[in-house]
Amino acid sequence: MNVPIDDRLIDAAARLISGAKKLAVLSGAGISAESGVPTFRGSDGLWEGHRIEEVATPHAFRQDPALVWRFYNQRRANLTTIQPNPGHHALADLERRQFPDGRFTLITQNVDGLHHAAGSERVLELHGNLRRTRCSRCELVADQGLVPLEERPICLECGGLLRPDIVWFGEMLPPTIWEQAAIATATCDAFLVVGTSAVVYPAAGLISAAKQAGAAIIEVNLTETEASELADIALHGPSGEILPQLARRLQSSN
Ligand code: BJW
Ligand code: ZN
């Protein structure tokens, strides 16, 4: 499917990006939708009748760790067959060709690892990663790959209950990663917001922080969002089509 996007809007967005010394990108679940990863707040955003707010909390895990682990095991299993799409690849190309030498930061709310899989290098994962576990007693973090885990997996170091290394509602984001994201946001000249509903904080607050610091805001999303009114340019359509168009335009203008 080729979505007709106004060429002038793509040109204008490409001009803002090519004029930037530093680019920061904030991505959300929408960028992975074309790879087959469900978004959180779409019509398919339910799991066994539960809303994400019912399974992704420390309270839910204390009440019923097996239920929470079934949810995460299913998500981990889905990832084994999933590949990055042209949107992820376009961002990796942009970093490599247009913004080398640390001038690019990809801040992602996603936990699927698809930006790394596409070759992006400076990636800040604000909400954790599905491949990792963290011990709820000794805090040991381990990469478990995508193999299915037991419904009550146990830490080999201390016998504590392992949890997904994911940031749940009501929990702090990893402080060092958050600090790096805030710095990248405050020092970029252009801020590209891709595939997020921009309703979950503090991540969504980065958009207004970038605007206040003087960055141009470019949004790529299927629909209008909470971020749209801050955007200098909003490109509406699938990111798997828009981002490659944008990347091609940037290459041809170089
Ligand atoms: C496409 C597309 C295509 C589709 N192309 N686009 C009131 C005010 C402010 C804050 C709060 C508040 N009440 C509570 C809070 C705090 C809370 C919060 O923000 N809640 C809001 C829901 C109101 N935040 C927190 O709790 C955070 N911690 C925190 O604040 O700590 C301090 C604190 C402590 C104690 C008390 C209060 C504060 C932590 C947030 C952690 C969020 N974690 C999750 C779950 C991870 C679990 C998991 O993955 O298993 O992270 S929530 C879920 O939402 C996930 C996502 O990363 C996050 C963002 O969602 P995202 O990516 O935007 O996805 P969607 O589905 O919402 O949107 C998809 C978009 O894509 C749509 O716009 C589509 O149109 C678009 N799209 N296809 C382009 N092909
Ligand atoms: Zn432990």
Side-chain angles (χ1 to χ4, degrees):
M1 179 184 60
N2 244 334
V3 177
I5 310 259
D6 188 336
D7 270 356
R8 285 166 305 183
L9 277 182
I10 296 271
D11 277 342
R15 272 197 302 277
L16 286 180
I17 293 174
S18 66
K21 268 207 210 95
K22 284 173 129 186
L23 176 67
V25 181
L26 175 67
S27 71
I31 195 169
S32 298
E34 289 156 78
S35 293
V37 182
T39 60
F40 292 96
R41 292 169 186 84
S43 52
D44 53 357
L46 285 178
W47 177 78
E48 287 190 7
H50 298 278
R51 291 184 308 128
I52 182 76
E53 289 80 358
E54 290 166 19
V55 272
T57 69
H59 176 73
F61 189 63
R62 278 193 302 273
Q63 294 286 107
D64 193 346
L67 171 89
V68 173
W69 264 116
R70 278 207 303 283
F71 172 65
Y72 282 97
N73 271 332
Q74 190 182 77
R75 306 248 315 270
R76 289 157 52 79
N78 288 346
L79 274 189
T80 58
T81 56
I82 277 175
Q83 298 295 328
N85 67 55
H88 298 102
H89 287 296
L91 290 180
D93 283 351
L94 201 60
E95 177 178 16
R96 197 169 45 244
R97 294 171 198 257
Q98 250 83 30
F99 291 93
D101 309 322
R103 295 190 293 121
F104 177 100
T105 308
L106 207 178
I107 305 163
T108 187
Q109 300 166 84
N110 297 347
V111 294
D112 55 31
L114 290 178
H115 288 303
H116 280 297
S120 287
E121 285 179 7
R122 279 172 65 91
V123 183
L124 300 175
E125 293 180 322
L126 293 181
H127 292 163
N129 190 299
L130 281 172
R131 304 175 75 99
R132 293 193 305 260
T133 54
R134 177 152 43 93
C135 175
S136 41
R137 190 184 292 163
C138 75
E139 298 284 316
L140 183 76
V141 171
D143 189 333
Q144 308 277 4
L146 294 171
V147 295
L149 298 172
E150 291 163 38
E151 289 195 351
R152 288 170 187 276
I154 295 300
C155 173
L156 294 177
E157 290 295 315
C158 78
L161 183 61
L162 294 180
R163 55 165 283 175
D165 189 24
I166 298 283
V167 180
W168 286 328
F169 285 108
E171 295 188 313
M172 301 283 289
L173 274 55
T176 311
I177 289 175
W178 175 249
E179 209 171 286
Q180 289 172 333
I183 292 171
T185 299
T187 57
C188 68
D189 312 289
F191 192 86
L192 179 60
V193 185
V194 185
T196 176
S197 57
V199 297
V200 173
Y201 282 79
L206 293 172
I207 306 163
S208 47
K211 182 92 183 168
Q212 272 165 26
I217 311 290
I218 300 132
E219 178 179 52
V220 177
N221 199 299
L222 283 183
T223 62
E224 291 219 338
T225 70
E226 297 293 313
S228 302
E229 65 181 23
L230 295 172
D232 296 279
I233 296 180
L235 302 170
H236 292 308
S239 50
E241 296 181 19
I242 294 183
L243 291 175
Q245 286 184 42
L246 195 53
R248 278 196 297 276
R249 198 62 53 90
L250 279 158
Q251 278 166 37
S252 62
S253 68
N254 262 354

